[in-house]
């Protein structure tokens, strides 16, 4: 059982909802993002998604785009992110998931030349050794992920599958069949960022997905307060909060970011504790 | 449907985009060989866009080099002034059949934006054009043209505010509004099935050329030269000749400020290596860490850090030779064609013309060279005047 599976199983036993917090590595500085990750756990995060900055983040809204620009200016790289993981591991057993775009993973360990290069497996090996438990690759849909699934399976690293309110039953059956760790339930069409969303659509999809898999479900996109987290957690096992926290961290409002995590934690526990 | 060209292409997009791609795949499969659809497309190409375009014998330019005969495939004579209208018409007709009431597009120099705004006006569709703030500043005239045509121009501030960011933002908008919106991508790039769709709507250039060449000089061309940014005009003119090894094909990329500066768009002919941007695996200008590098060219239509995946396949398979021409070489070719033939070419097409300097000495008088004159240069005269130090406006 991986750290992630154990954490999610423990939460289930305790009748609690999981709280995943996304933190862009390298924003506002590399050291501050490391401190944020460690402090987030103390504030109530169960899992941290380490955001891996890419120059062209297609699935992300304005907040995570801006944080990625800052992080890249600060010189963040996959190597430095794995160093962060090792430092976190020295203090914590909290599950860590790397969330990044495929081109960065494929470039890991590249040393020159114009020939096709694929460093994905090398990354997974090093990520595992650094204490990363899984990866989320938002620009690799199920249809393109067969090779990556095989690599991740080989090293017992989770590769996250997605469902959205638009996912058809046929595709849901397929994606759920290879679900690992947790299923990322995208709450709406479009990109990451806090906005008004009707969570009833994804909540209904989650009930469908449960027919195909026992892997826990985490809802993300649009969650910026305790109240909204409660809506998103109705049928899911966990919620994912990204942009709302990243926006505060990027602005240097470290304490406000941690207080937001505490607020969401408290709202979830108040509404769902057995 | 085949989603790859060799190992290139694919569908590397967020899950939120997948339903839209699947719907598009289904519609394209239904209509691509549908007689009614193709007849309608052909009618608009002929009656509205102005096809077939001329194959013009450039006698003075031929005399200038004194070698093979030079012909120009005059895509610049099409309505809106470039080959982009072929694809915009085809995709808008597809959108209509799919029941979409809004079309969106990305644009760099503004040519594809103008073509899309034009067909949206023609077919009575809502139209949003995503354009980087840098490009809006550089291409004010085209921004006004799009507005005249009834389109909304959406300024894109993210990233570097240029074509790649406008493309990302168009995809983001599409992923948010998939049910009523059709994304008319402007080149043979993006996730499958786009590279195939755009190629199919542009391949009329090469099909016409084959017939015209046989009529004009009784054989196929010996050389075809076209500029490559994303690569739609090049794919359009090359595709019908892809299996003709005797027809030597040259794709000319933007060499920018020159070899050692790094300021170029030489994705295939320079420092690119395969990577993933905007949904496709293809050659890409990127850092060792896999961050996409901003391309540079004097021509806004060529400064894209990626390239169509089928071009990557053609490069590896040796179907096309990919080369480059610098800003300075393109500017010289721009002026040479104006002075010798009375034709002002687009700066993009000027890169193809510039390659004649290297190609022509190796040709023989009994051979024929065809250059794809993908667009007219009216849009560029202001920026060229500025570069040449002429005080206009």
């Amino acid at each position: 059982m991986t750290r992630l599976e154990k954490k999610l199983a423990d939460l289930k036993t305790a009748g609690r909802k999981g709280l995943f917090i996304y933190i862009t590595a390298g924003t506002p500085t590399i050291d501050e993002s490391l401190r944020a990750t460690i402090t987030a756990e103390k504030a109530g995060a169960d899992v941290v998604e380490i955001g891996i900055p890419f120059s062209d983040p297609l699935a992300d809204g304005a907040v995570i785009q801006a944080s990625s620009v800052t992080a890249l200016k600060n010189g963040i790289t996959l190597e430095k992110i794995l160093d962060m993981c090792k430092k976190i591991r020295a203090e914590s057993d909290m599950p860590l998931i790397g969330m990044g775009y495929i081109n960065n993973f494929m470039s890991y360990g590249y040393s020159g030349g114009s020939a096709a290069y694929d460093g994905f497996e090398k990354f997974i090996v090093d990520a595992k050794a650094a204490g990363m438990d899984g990866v989320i690759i938002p620009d690799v849909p199920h249809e393109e992920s067969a090779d990556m699934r095989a690599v991740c399976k080989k090293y017992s690293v989770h590769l996250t599958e997605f469902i959205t309110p638009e996912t058809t039953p046929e595709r849901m059956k397929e994606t759920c069949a290879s679900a690992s760790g947790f299923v990322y339930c995208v709450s709406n069409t479009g990109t990451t960022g806090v906005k008004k969303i009707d969570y009833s659509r994804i909540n209904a999809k989650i009930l469908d997905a449960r027919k195909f898999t026992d892997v826990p479900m985490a809802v993300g996109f649009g969650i910026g307060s305790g109240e909204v987290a409660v809506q998103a957690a109705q049928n899911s096992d966990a919620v994912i909060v990204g942009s709302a926290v990243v926006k505060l961290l990027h602005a240097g409002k470290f304490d406000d970011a941690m207080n937001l995590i505490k607020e969401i934690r408290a709202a979830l526990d108040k509404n769902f504790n057995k | 449907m085949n989603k790859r060209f060799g190992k290139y292409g694919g569908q590397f997009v967020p899950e939120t985009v997948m339903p839209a791609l699947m719907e598009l795949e289904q519609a394209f499969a239904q209509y691509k060989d549908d007689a009614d659809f193709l007849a309608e497309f052909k009618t608009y190409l002929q009656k509205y866009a102005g096809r077939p375009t001329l194959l013009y014998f450039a006698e003075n330019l031929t005399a200038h080099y004194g070698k093979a005969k030079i012909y120009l495939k005059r895509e610049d004579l099409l309505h809106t002034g470039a080959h982009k209208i072929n694809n915009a018409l085809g995709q808008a007709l597809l959108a209509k059949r799919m029941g979409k009431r809004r079309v969106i597009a990305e644009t760099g120099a503004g040519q594809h934006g103008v073509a899309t705004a034009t067909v949206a006006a023609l077919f009575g569709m809502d139209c949003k054009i995503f354009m980087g703030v840098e490009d809006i500043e550089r291409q004010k005239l085209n921004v006004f043209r799009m507005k005249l045509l009834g389109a909304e121009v959406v300024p894109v501030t993210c990233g570097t505010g240029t074509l790649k960011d406008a493309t990302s933002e168009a995809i983001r908008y599409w992923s948010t509004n998939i049910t009523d919106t059709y994304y008319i991508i402007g080149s043979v790039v993006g996730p499958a099935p786009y590279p195939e769709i755009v190629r199919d709507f542009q391949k009329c250039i090469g099909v016409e050329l084959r017939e015209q060449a046989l009529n004009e000089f009784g054989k196929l061309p010996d050389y075809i030269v076209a500029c490559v940014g994303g690569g739609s005009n090049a794919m359009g003119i090359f595709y019908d000749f892809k299996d003709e090894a005797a027809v030597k094909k040259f794709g000319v990329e933007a060499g920018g400020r020159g070899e050692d500066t790094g300021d170029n768009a030489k994705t295939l002919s320079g420092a690119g290596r395969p990577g993933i941007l905007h949904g496709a695996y293809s050659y890409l200008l990127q850092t060792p860490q896999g961050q996409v590098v901003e391309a540079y060219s004097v021509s806004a239509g060529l400064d894209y850090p990626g390239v169509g995946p089928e071009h990557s396949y053609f490069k590896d398979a040796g179907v096309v030779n990919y080369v480059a021409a610098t800003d300075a070489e393109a500017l010289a070719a721009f002026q040479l064609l104006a002075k010798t033939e009375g034709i002002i070419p687009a700066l993009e097409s000027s890169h193809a013309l510039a390659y004649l300097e290297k190609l022509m000495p190796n040709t023989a008088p009994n051979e024929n060279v065809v250059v794809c004159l993908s667009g007219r240069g009216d849009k560029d005269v202001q920026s060229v005047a500025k570069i040449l130090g002429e005080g206009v406006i």
Side-chain angles (χ1 to χ4, degrees):
Chain A
M1 202 178 238
T2 65
R3 275 179 288 254
L4 178 66
E5 285 165 334
K6 182 167 186 312
K7 170 66 84 178
L8 291 169
D10 289 351
L11 284 163
K12 193 173 183 181
T13 308
R16 299 178 75 206
K17 301 287 184 181
L19 177 57
F20 290 31
I21 299 295
Y22 173 105
I23 291 170
T24 305
T27 302
T29 65
I30 295 174
D31 286 346
E32 277 292 276
S33 62
L34 173 63
R35 184 164 79 95
T37 309
I38 292 166
T39 315
E41 186 184 20
K42 293 174 184 138
D46 298 301
V47 175
V48 165
E49 291 180 9
I50 301 180
I52 300 167
F54 180 46
S55 53
D56 299 80
L58 266 192
D60 286 305
V63 169
I64 292 178
Q65 285 176 41
S67 73
S68 301
V69 169
T70 298
L72 290 170
K73 278 184 193 148
N74 289 338
I76 197 73
T77 61
L78 280 175
E79 288 79 1
K80 288 178 186 170
I81 288 169
L82 292 186
D83 280 346
M84 279 177 65
C85 282
K86 288 177 194 160
K87 285 176 185 158
I88 298 163
R89 274 288 160 262
E91 303 192 23
S92 166
D93 263 339
M94 171 177 58
L96 297 172
I97 314 283
M99 181 161 182
Y101 290 81
I102 186 60
N103 202 53
N104 292 148
F105 295 128
M106 285 179 60
S107 295
Y108 184 73
Y110 166 78
S111 61
S114 63
Y117 175 82
D118 185 357
F120 185 75
E121 182 162 0
K122 183 175 163 54
F123 175 76
I124 293 298
V125 169
D126 288 359
K128 177 87 181 173
M132 203 177 260
D133 303 289
V135 287
I136 303 168
I137 316 177
D139 59 344
V140 177
H142 185 77
E143 284 76 359
E144 298 286 356
S145 67
D147 293 351
M148 293 154 228
R149 285 202 300 274
V151 168
C152 286
K153 198 172 176 191
K154 186 171 162 190
Y155 299 100
S156 300
V157 170
H158 300 294
L159 176 64
T160 302
E161 296 282 352
F162 298 87
I163 63 170
T164 77
E166 313 293 335
T167 306
T168 59
E170 301 79 50
R171 287 192 78 233
M172 185 180 279
K173 196 174 171 184
E174 251 192 64
T175 54
C176 286
S178 48
S180 170
F182 74 100
V183 176
Y184 200 126
C185 307
V186 180
S187 63
N188 72 331
T189 57
T191 54
T192 58
V194 177
K195 65 199 112 176
K196 197 168 162 43
I197 288 168
D198 171 11
Y199 287 90
S200 65
R201 297 183 65 218
I202 194 64
N203 290 346
K205 281 283 170 181
I206 289 172
L207 296 184
D208 294 343
R210 299 246 194 237
K211 294 172 197 155
F212 303 118
T213 180
D214 294 329
V215 170
M217 307 273 156
V219 172
F221 284 36
I223 304 167
S225 68
E227 188 192 342
V228 174
V230 169
Q231 292 168 27
Q234 288 304 321
N235 294 345
S236 68
D237 302 288
V239 297
I240 303 166
V241 179
S243 298
V245 170
V246 169
K247 189 175 185 179
L248 294 169
L249 288 173
H250 193 191
K253 297 176 179 167
F254 188 94
D255 294 342
D256 290 351
M258 296 306 137
N259 286 335
L260 177 62
I261 296 170
K262 285 177 194 160
E263 179 212 319
I264 295 171
R265 171 84 272 162
L268 289 173
D269 287 347
K270 183 174 166 231
N271 283 274
F272 297 103
N273 232 345
K274 258 184 193 164
Chain B
M1 193 177 291
N2 186 4
K3 293 175 187 174
R4 299 265 177 160
F5 309 97
K7 63 187 176 195
Y8 298 105
Q11 292 183 313
F12 295 92
V13 294
E15 178 62 30
T16 49
V17 180
M18 284 307 289
L21 280 185
M22 288 158 77
E23 187 189 358
L24 180 60
E25 264 170 32
Q26 204 177 13
F28 184 57
Q30 184 181 344
Y31 293 116
K32 68 177 192 167
D33 301 313
D34 178 85
D36 282 351
F37 178 80
L38 293 175
E40 190 183 16
F41 179 41
K42 194 171 180 183
T43 301
Y44 278 104
L45 286 178
Q46 289 174 347
K47 311 278 183 197
Y48 188 73
R51 300 212 74 91
T53 58
L54 298 174
L55 181 64
Y56 166 73
F57 175 46
E59 199 171 352
N60 299 333
L61 193 64
T62 299
H64 173 83
Y65 289 108
K67 290 283 194 172
K69 284 185 174 160
I70 300 169
Y71 289 83
L72 305 176
K73 182 64 176 153
R74 297 289 309 272
E75 296 298 298
D76 62 317
L77 294 177
L78 288 171
H79 179 46
T80 71
H83 72 291
K84 294 285 185 192
I85 192 77
N86 302 327
N87 167 54
L89 273 171
Q91 289 203 59
L93 287 169
L94 189 57
K96 224 173 90 179
R97 301 253 173 163
M98 291 169 72
K100 306 288 182 186
R101 56 171 191 80
R102 183 192 295 132
V103 293
I104 59 167
E106 82 294 342
T107 199
Q111 290 308 101
H112 175 56
V114 167
T116 302
T118 298
V119 297
L122 177 65
F123 297 130
M125 293 163 149
D126 286 350
C127 181
K128 274 185 203 292
I129 305 294
F130 293 83
M131 191 169 185
V133 284
E134 284 293 315
D135 288 332
I136 286 178
E137 192 53 42
R138 287 192 286 191
Q139 303 286 339
K140 283 183 184 152
L141 195 61
N142 270 343
V143 172
F144 182 61
R145 286 170 82 192
M146 289 183 263
K147 287 180 179 166
L148 269 181
L149 293 160
E152 181 194 347
V153 178
V154 183
V156 176
T157 51
C158 66
T160 45
T162 59
L163 178 58
K164 85 177 170 75
D165 308 294
T167 306
S168 296
E169 204 55 25
I171 295 173
R172 290 186 187 111
Y173 180 89
W174 192 39
S175 76
T176 314
N177 300 276
I178 50 174
T179 45
D180 64 355
T181 301
Y182 183 101
Y183 176 25
I184 300 186
I185 208 163
S187 191
V188 287
V189 300
Y194 276 117
E196 191 185 345
I197 291 178
V198 179
R199 177 246 280 159
D200 273 16
F201 291 147
Q202 291 291 2
K203 70 183 179 190
C204 54
I205 305 173
V207 171
E208 276 174 21
L209 170 59
R210 177 183 290 268
E211 196 186 324
Q212 290 167 327
L214 292 173
N215 286 336
E216 182 78 26
F217 41 82
K219 58 175 184 164
L220 297 183
D222 298 287
Y223 303 89
I224 304 176
V225 186
C227 64
V228 176
S232 69
N233 88 85
M235 188 55 69
I237 200 165
F238 292 155
Y239 192 71
D240 200 55
F241 300 92
K242 71 178 169 21
D243 299 322
E244 313 274 5
V247 180
K248 292 180 259 324
K249 296 167 279 287
F250 292 87
V252 187
E253 295 188 311
R257 297 197 173 96
E259 198 60 54
D260 306 322
T261 64
D263 291 341
N264 61 59
K266 293 166 63 174
T267 310
L268 292 167
S269 61
R273 67 181 168 92
I276 291 170
L277 175 68
H278 296 147
Y281 180 61
S282 192
Y283 277 81
L284 180 63
L285 293 174
Q286 54 182 319
T287 67
Q289 287 77 33
Q291 308 298 354
V292 180
V293 169
E294 191 59 27
Y296 163 80
S297 167
V298 68
S299 134
L302 298 183
D303 65 355
Y304 182 66
V307 68
E310 198 164 17
H311 282 294
S312 291
Y313 173 66
F314 282 175
K315 172 187 162 78
D316 287 4
V319 174
V320 175
N321 302 295
Y322 293 93
V323 295
T326 63
D327 284 359
E329 289 165 343
L331 284 164
F334 178 94
Q335 296 169 78
L336 178 65
L337 193 72
K339 288 193 176 112
T340 55
E341 296 290 348
I343 297 170
I344 300 174
L347 274 177
E348 290 78 11
S349 321
S350 299
H351 286 73
L353 292 163
Y355 189 68
L356 294 176
E357 292 287 326
K358 289 181 180 120
L359 178 68
M360 295 314 291
N362 303 319
T363 65
N366 63 346
E367 291 183 315
N368 301 289
V369 176
V370 175
V371 178
C372 189
L373 199 65
S374 55
R376 67 174 182 232
D378 306 50
K379 69 182 175 64
D380 296 315
V381 291
Q382 225 174 317
S383 51
V384 172
K386 202 171 160 192
I387 294 165
L388 300 180
E390 299 284 336
V392 295
I393 306 179

